[in-house]
Structures are given as C-alpha cells and as structure tokens.
Amino acid sequence: MIRPIALVPVLAAISFAAPAPAVSDKVVDRFTPAPYHQQKLTGYLAARMQVNLERRLLEIDEDALLAGYRKRPGNHAWIGEHIGKYLDAAANTLEYTQNEPLKTQMTRMAKALIATQLPDGYLGTYTDDQRWTSWDVWSHKYNLIGLLAYYRVSGDPAALTAARRIGDLLHNTFGEGKLDIIAASTHVGMAATSVLEPICQLYRYTGEQRYLDLAFYITRAWEQPNGPKLISSLTTHGNVARTANGKAYEMMSDLVGLIELHRLTGEPRFLLAATNAQADIAKNRLYLTGTTSSHEHFHGDGVLPADQPHDVGEGCATVTWLQLNWQLLRLTGEARYANELERTVFNQLLGAQNPANGNICYFTPMNGRKITNDSINCCRSSEPRGISMIPALVWGKLHDGIAIEQYLPGKATIGGVEIRSETDFPASGVVRLIVTPAKPGAFTLYLRVPEWTARFTAITAGREYRGKPGEYLAITRRWGKGHKVNVRMDMTVRTHDGGLSYPDSVAFQRGPQVMAVDRSVNPNIPYLFRTGLRSTKMDDGVFFDGTQRIVTTLQFKPFADAQDYRVWLYKPGKLPDTPVPLSYGSRETSSARDKLNNTGALSDELLHDYVGLQAGAEVWWAIELPKPATIRRVAIAAGELTERGGWLDTSAAKPQVQIQRIPKGPWETVATLDTYPATTSAARPPIQPGQWFEVTLSQPAQAVAVRLLGKAAREFASLAELAAY
C-alpha cells in the first residue's frame, strides 16, 4: 500500500546519534566530505534532490518493498534488495533535509524489516530449501547496507544487532570447509561477494575479528578456480571486459568493497585493482554522459553503442560508478575522480530521473527516448541512492585545507569554516565564494578546476590566480570573516568524435553538460534520426526529409533535461541520402498481441534493434502508417539470430507482404518476399543481423497498414525493420 505523506516544512533539527567506529582505518582518507546536516544546497541539483525526496522516497510503496520478507518466497529472485536500497537513500536524505515525515517513514520500515528476521539471523526472501542460491546473499548485502545506514542516523541499537546477526550467519555459513560463496550466486560469484562492502562497515562499527576474517575469505574466494579472479586480473592486465563475465554492476560493487578493505588493512593490491579498473573504464568503456555498460556488460575498447535498444547505462551501473569514484576521491584526494563525479551527476544520473515526477529510467540512451515509470526494480531503487549522495560530493576537507569539488549554490560548515557559494552554475561559470572561519587564520582553499574548461581564474584580496584544467588550484592565505573569492570559468563548448561506434558523428558538450537535439525544441525537424551538421558550428544543422536537405538552426537542451532526442549528430557530408520510408514513426502491432519489446524498433531505421516474437503457427509484424500512402516497395531487415532461432522458416512458403486498404479492414496479400532465402528450422541460415530483403509490388497499392507474415524457426523470429516506400 502506498502511504503518501503530506509535505511539511523542515522542522527543528533532528539530533543524529552518529555512532563512533570501534576500529580505526589504517589508511586515512585525504578528502572528507562535509557532513550532510551541516550544509544546504540550492539551485538546479537541489531541485532534483527535492523531487527525489517528495516524489520518490516519501511516495514509496512500503508494502511492495517488504512483501518478500513478510511472505517468503518473494515474487522474484532479487526482490529482497529494494528495502536496503531505500533505507540507504532515506538515511542520506534524512541527514541532509531533517525531514520529519521521512524520519517517521524510514523508522517504520526499518523496524518492519527487522521484525521479519528469523531466529538464526536469516534476513532473506527465500524458503529454507532455497537458501544461499541465486541472489540470496545479494539481498543480505543490501539489508546490511540499509540497516547500517539507518543505524548511522538513528543510533538505534536494534539495527546494529540485526546487522550483526546477518554478519554472524554469513560468517558461519561461508568459508573454507563451509559453503562456497562463489557457487552461491550469479555472475561468477560477483553478486554474492559484493557483500564485502557492508561486511567491512560492520567490522568498523564492531571491531569483531570474524567479520574481517569473512572479508579476507571473500578476496581469496575470488581467486578460486571457479572465481572471477578480480584481484589477479585487475592487477595484471587491468581490463574489466576481460575479467570474469564483464558484468558491470556486480564487478564495480565488489571494487567498492575492496576499497573499504584497503582502508581497513592498507593492503596495496586491493587499491591497485580498484584504481586499474577505474582507469580502464574511464579510458575505454565510459560513455560521454558518465555511465558505463551496454546490456549491463562491459565491452571492447571504445565499443560504446548508445541507441535505444543497446540498453545503455543501467541505472545500477551508473550509481555504482558514482560510488567507485567517490570512494577513490575520498581515499586519494585526486581531482580526476571529482571530474568523473561531475560528469556523471550532471548528465547520466539526472538524465535518468524525470524532473516532474521523480520516475526513473532503467536504461538511458544517448539517442532515443527516456522511458520512466514508478515501478520498483533494481535501477529505480538504485538511482535515488545516487541522487541522495549529491551533498557528499560538493565540498569538504582536503589535506590541510578545504576543497570545493562541485560548483553549486548553497552553504556549508567545514571544520569551523563557513563557505557560501553564490552561482547559477551550470548556466554560467561565475561563482562567488564567501569564506568565514570561526576564527581568522591561515589555511588553503582548494578549487577544483574542471577538466573541460579552457580558462579558470580566481580573484581574492586583489590577486588573480589561474588554474590548470583537471587539477586543484590552491589558494593559501590568512582568511577572515566574509573574505571573498570570485571565480570565473569559461563554459567551453567541446566537440567529441563518435569513435568506433559512431564514426560519422559528433556530439557537443557545454561546460559539464552533454547537449542534445530534443524534439520539444526542434518542432521543424520531423526526422531526428537524420539530423546532422552543415558545418562545424554547433547550431548549423541540416536534416534530410526524403527529397531534399533542409537547413535549420538546431536548438539544444542539456541531455539531463531531454526526453526525445539525439546526442550523436552526423558530421558534415555524412548524412544518409537514402529516402525516408513512408512508414517512419508508424504505430506497431504484432502477433504477440501485447506490448512490443523495443517499441518503435520496426520503423526507426536502426538495424541493431529488433522485435522478437515467440514461435507459433504463424508470426506477423505490422505497422500502421502515419497517414494513408501509395506503397510501391516494401523492405525488411533481419533482427537477432542465435542458435535458438531468429529467422523465418520458408520450407512451406516464403514470407507474405500484406496491406490494409482501410483502417481495421481485411489483410490482403500483395507480394511474396521471394528474395528471402530458402530456410528450414533444422539449420541456421547464412543470414546476417540487419541484412535487407525487399520486394517491389507489381502494382502500386494505396494502404493504411503493412504486415509481414511468416513462420518462426525454432523458438522465435526477429525483425529489425519493416519499411514501406
């Protein structure tokens, strides 16, 4: 049951009983973020954070998050992860906002979760006979994260007790001579072993040696014959796509835990594995918008397909990439990690959120449409965690001074120094910082110089300082009440080449924001997929309407705010010259008689997306034309082909092309697709994905809809395009 809670102004400050750690880290962080409750942000990002609070967290379906615990088993294998993710996001948001309704809600949900814990400490959603299979340890991981986050902001000893009982159960269950944690989960054991992160946190809070022992066991299990070899692979070749099965979310989750273990132990191999992985992703597998993974996996160097069907930037992977860079920024104090945080926050993280209602995308392409809803799944539980982290990314202590990592309007108190920031960034690069220490004194103010800016200056006490992109500008002086620093950074427009995946295209970035040609501000462009550049100027655009090239002034939106858009635009002279099909933008139906997967795929001229249908007596795909038209030619492009099927079996008949002459009228066969090869279900034919087959009608036909009818081979049939000309 959804329990909407009336929004009220922030009440009197909540007293956070932040518990002290029982053990100290051997490696001390060089950057310490400003405490959540000692700052207040305004402006662009603050508005998105407020949406996350009001429309996502406070309106969460509480019963859905707890259902798998109240009645085991849950209705899907990883249903247990959602409550822990919620508690983590809620704890961060509560500490920052001090919102009383959120405090009440979070407390209610934490206590309800704890009440479902079994006597032996088990807090999963599986029945006894299915324990420690599939995603069971994974759900315990997120419960540990959530309970410890709740404990951090509430001091409730029941939360720590419940977490300890989970830790004890895991310690007693897994290890040499016990159950194998690698065999207990998916993705070469990486899902289960990502419990390393909260196990390290549990050890820090309790000082109990058995939790540290469990953490070391996990690192040894990685190197078993059946393990993912995370440390040995990443400290040698360092290629994440060649490590384990390349699953992005789980691997980066493990690395976040490995950094925590490095803090506790000082073991250099742990940090080396994490930094090598981060460097490999940043260089070879990172999208311009600050995410990684296609179809949830890492791919080859520079292989970054970014259209709708490529399942770009799984929300969970985006947030875990954010967490990985945040951990490394804290540990090393190096500006390159803060640069990545800025890229991700201003583009992919916010891009996955609908700013009107807080709904979240599972995947967020660079070319396509954003598909958001309010259902509960892994990414829609992860993204609110990422948004809740924003205050921890902005400013804090660095080395011997104070660092400004992100340029946002607001204020914070850091080590007895109040910092006020006045800016409309990223609209402009003008920032005024007002520094007021509790007592006048000398210290260093570190200003991160974004790697994208061509010029960065800071003026204080009549002296001008110039910064180097990608590094910190250090200003050391004696600071007193109200001392000002006036910052100006050029909001440089950069052009990015499309690389291996988009060699004929370019994209633009202004300041930290990737820009997109969005349909809402370009109503004169009917074919966004055929948008390119007439010259090297950002706004000098052209599109092809099927008969001629039309010059226009392109209007851009930040990717984070776009809804139906393209980021990658054709370079001058590279725009396709083939006619636009009459069927572009058609409404699609199929013999499945339900919602098509990859809706829009049959009429978008993209050959790498497809619509697959399960085998039956007959299968068909149909397109309803945007308006009645005279059809002279019909073409199809093959979709995915695997050993399970994908092609059409023509042993009885070749595929038929049919039309409807009037809406909802009878289907009439007007042609046979004789160019389609002779095939059977027995052998996979030499058809390539995206391969075209076409037929010219013997007589032009007036139609309102076109259909392809055939028989699926093996388990399914697949079609990438159905085009009428």
Side-chain angles (χ1 to χ4, degrees):
M1 177 178 67
I2 299 176
R3 297 185 176 92
I5 299 175
L7 300 178
V8 297
V10 173
L11 303 181
I14 295 169
S15 177
F16 293 104
V23 294
S24 299
D25 293 334
K26 289 190 177 179
V27 180
V28 178
D29 283 347
R30 297 185 179 183
F31 172 72
T32 305
Y36 281 91
H37 61 280
Q38 292 182 5
Q39 57 179 303
K40 181 58 63 178
L41 303 175
T42 59
Y44 180 62
L45 295 191
R48 293 298 197 98
M49 292 163 55
Q50 190 69 16
V51 170
N52 194 46
L53 165 65
E54 295 177 359
R55 301 304 304 276
R56 193 68 192 162
L57 296 176
L58 287 175
E59 293 185 359
I60 201 73
D61 187 337
E62 297 183 28
D63 289 342
L65 265 60
L66 292 163
Y69 293 97
R70 287 171 168 163
K71 186 178 180 181
R72 296 178 172 95
N75 63 12
H76 67 74
W78 56 91
I79 191 173
E81 71 174 31
H82 302 301
I83 181 66
K85 289 182 175 182
Y86 159 81
L87 289 172
D88 185 53
N92 292 341
T93 306
L94 176 64
E95 188 173 358
Y96 171 72
T97 64
Q98 303 181 35
N99 183 277
E100 285 285 358
L102 182 63
K103 179 185 179 184
T104 300
Q105 180 194 58
M106 183 184 69
T107 302
R108 178 172 61 243
M109 293 179 71
K111 290 183 179 299
L113 175 66
I114 294 169
T116 68
Q117 190 169 33
L118 298 182
D120 65 351
Y122 181 80
L123 193 53
T125 63
Y126 288 50
T127 54
D128 288 348
D129 61 322
Q130 294 296 311
R131 276 194 189 188
W132 314 128
T133 60
S134 189
W135 297 90
D136 201 11
V137 179
W138 174 266
S139 294
H140 282 80
K141 161 196 140 175
Y142 275 112
N143 281 334
L144 280 171
I145 288 173
L147 289 169
L148 292 175
Y150 171 65
Y151 175 62
R152 186 189 83 237
V153 298
S154 70
D156 185 348
L160 183 60
T161 298
R164 293 179 72 141
R165 294 177 67 203
I166 293 173
D168 292 346
L169 178 61
L170 293 174
H171 174 264
N172 294 335
T173 301
F174 297 104
E176 287 89 357
K178 308 172 189 175
L179 289 185
D180 178 5
I181 197 169
I182 300 298
S185 87
T186 58
H187 299 299
V188 203
M190 289 191 296
T193 53
S194 67
V195 76
L196 176 62
E197 178 194 358
I199 285 297
C200 288
Q201 295 171 356
L202 185 60
Y203 170 68
R204 186 177 288 116
Y205 275 128
T206 66
E208 296 290 347
Q209 181 64 34
R210 59 186 176 277
Y211 303 138
L212 188 61
D213 292 342
L214 177 59
F216 277 114
Y217 160 70
I218 288 171
T219 64
R220 294 193 300 272
W222 285 338
E223 303 303 318
Q224 293 173 181
N226 64 337
K229 314 294 191 298
L230 290 186
I231 296 175
S232 58
S233 292
L234 294 174
T235 55
T236 52
H237 60 70
N239 185 319
V240 294
R242 290 167 46 204
T243 299
N245 67 347
K247 186 66 163 61
Y249 176 23
E250 286 77 3
M251 189 185 304
M252 291 189 293
S253 297
D254 283 355
L255 295 175
V256 169
L258 196 58
I259 295 170
E260 286 281 32
L261 189 56
H262 170 76
R263 272 197 189 91
L264 290 169
T265 65
E267 172 53 55
R269 292 182 306 130
F270 299 163
L271 180 60
L272 180 62
T275 54
N276 283 354
Q278 190 279 344
D280 177 61
I281 296 167
K283 179 181 178 182
N284 301 312
R285 276 158 266 283
L286 188 67
Y287 285 88
L288 184 59
T289 52
T291 190
T292 186
S293 81
S294 169
H295 299 295
E296 304 188 8
H297 285 73
F298 297 119
H299 297 281
D301 291 4
V303 178
L304 297 165
D307 289 294
Q308 194 87 38
H310 293 131
D311 292 349
V312 179
E314 178 195 14
C316 297
T318 298
V319 172
T320 312
W321 171 246
L322 192 78
Q323 292 168 332
L324 178 61
N325 283 280
W326 181 65
Q327 290 275 4
L328 289 171
L329 170 64
R330 289 167 49 205
L331 195 66
T332 68
E334 295 181 16
R336 57 178 168 148
Y337 301 119
N339 286 327
E340 295 303 340
L341 294 173
E342 179 185 63
R343 184 199 311 275
T344 298
V345 168
F346 277 98
N347 295 289
Q348 196 76 20
L349 184 72
L350 296 190
Q353 182 202 47
N354 185 319
N357 56 27
N359 291 345
I360 298 294
C361 296
Y362 197 113
F363 301 109
T364 310
M366 291 178 68
N367 298 328
R369 298 173 296 277
K370 292 177 182 175
I371 302 172
T372 64
N373 64 53
D374 62 354
S375 65
I376 295 172
N377 62 40
C378 61
C379 296
R380 296 180 182 109
S381 293
S382 287
E383 283 275 350
R385 296 180 69 204
I387 295 171
S388 78
M389 287 177 61
I390 290 173
L393 315 179
V394 181
W395 32 30
K397 294 180 180 179
L398 177 66
H399 307 308
D400 57 343
I402 293 172
I404 311 297
E405 303 288 1
Q406 311 297 335
Y407 294 95
L408 307 182
K411 65 178 181 178
T413 300
I414 306 164
V417 177
E418 182 187 86
I419 303 286
R420 286 183 176 268
S421 174
E422 298 174 354
T423 181
D424 63 352
F425 184 90
S428 80
V430 177
V431 185
R432 185 168 77 157
L433 301 172
I434 304 168
V435 181
T436 301
K439 295 181 180 180
F443 60 87
T444 301
L445 181 67
Y446 295 93
L447 305 178
R448 182 183 62 87
V449 182
E451 52 85 23
W452 43 258
T453 190
R455 187 170 187 270
F456 184 102
T457 62
I459 298 175
T460 184
R463 179 179 174 184
E464 181 179 279
Y465 299 80
R466 293 194 176 188
K468 184 177 179 181
E471 298 183 1
Y472 289 106
L473 171 60
I475 301 175
T476 303
R477 57 163 291 192
R478 182 175 176 83
W479 301 89
K481 182 178 180 180
H483 283 180
K484 297 177 179 62
V485 183
N486 292 308
V487 175
R488 287 186 178 271
M489 66 190 95
D490 184 73
M491 302 302 285
T492 310
V493 175
R494 299 173 66 182
T495 303
H496 297 272
D497 190 83
L500 291 177
S501 296
Y502 296 91
D504 294 335
S505 299
V506 295
F508 295 100
Q509 176 184 341
R510 178 188 177 274
Q513 295 179 301
V514 173
M515 307 305 290
V517 176
D518 186 77
R519 189 175 301 281
S520 67
V521 292
N522 292 277
N524 60 326
I525 302 179
Y527 310 113
L528 279 184
F529 68 101
R530 287 183 177 241
T531 304
L533 300 170
R534 187 178 62 161
S535 68
T536 56
K537 294 181 179 179
M538 179 176 171
D539 62 350
D540 191 9
V542 61
F543 68 89
F544 183 59
D545 72 349
T547 60
Q548 63 178 322
R549 291 173 182 264
I550 299 175
V551 177
T552 186
T553 298
L554 298 179
Q555 301 296 322
F556 286 82
K557 262 188 175 183
F559 168 81
D561 299 325
Q563 293 298 319
D564 185 357
Y565 55 89
R566 286 191 71 81
V567 168
W568 291 115
L569 306 175
Y570 287 106
K571 297 175 182 176
K574 295 296 184 179
L575 196 67
D577 283 328
T578 55
V580 175
L582 299 169
S583 49
Y584 173 71
S586 295
R587 180 177 177 270
E588 303 170 2
T589 55
S590 76
S591 54
R593 301 186 185 278
D594 57 12
K595 184 178 180 181
L596 291 173
N597 60 310
N598 285 338
T599 301
L602 294 181
S603 56
D604 59 5
E605 292 202 324
L606 300 176
L607 301 184
H608 40 249
D609 60 352
Y610 58 88
V611 173
L613 301 176
Q614 290 188 344
E618 289 182 326
V619 293
W620 55 263
W621 301 261
I623 51 175
E624 297 178 13
L625 303 180
K627 60 183 179 180
T630 299
I631 305 299
R632 292 177 170 81
R633 180 167 59 95
V634 174
I636 71 162
E640 180 188 38
L641 281 82
T642 72
E643 292 305 317
R644 294 176 47 243
W647 66 95
L648 294 170
D649 183 340
T650 66
S651 56
K654 290 291 183 82
Q656 303 294 301
V657 175
Q658 300 181 324
I659 65 168
Q660 280 181 333
R661 295 187 184 272
I662 60 174
K664 298 184 179 180
W667 288 103
E668 175 186 338
T669 299
V670 293
T672 299
L673 195 64
D674 289 325
T675 55
Y676 197 85
T679 62
T680 69
S681 293
R684 177 174 174 172
I687 298 174
Q688 299 301 314
Q691 185 173 344
W692 283 96
F693 306 97
E694 66 175 68
V695 60
T696 300
L697 307 189
S698 58
Q699 295 289 332
Q702 185 75 9
V704 297
V706 179
R707 183 166 85 164
L708 183 76
L709 176 70
K711 180 183 178 182
R714 300 189 182 176
E715 297 179 27
F716 74 102
S718 175
L719 199 66
E721 288 293 305
L722 175 55
Y725 300 90

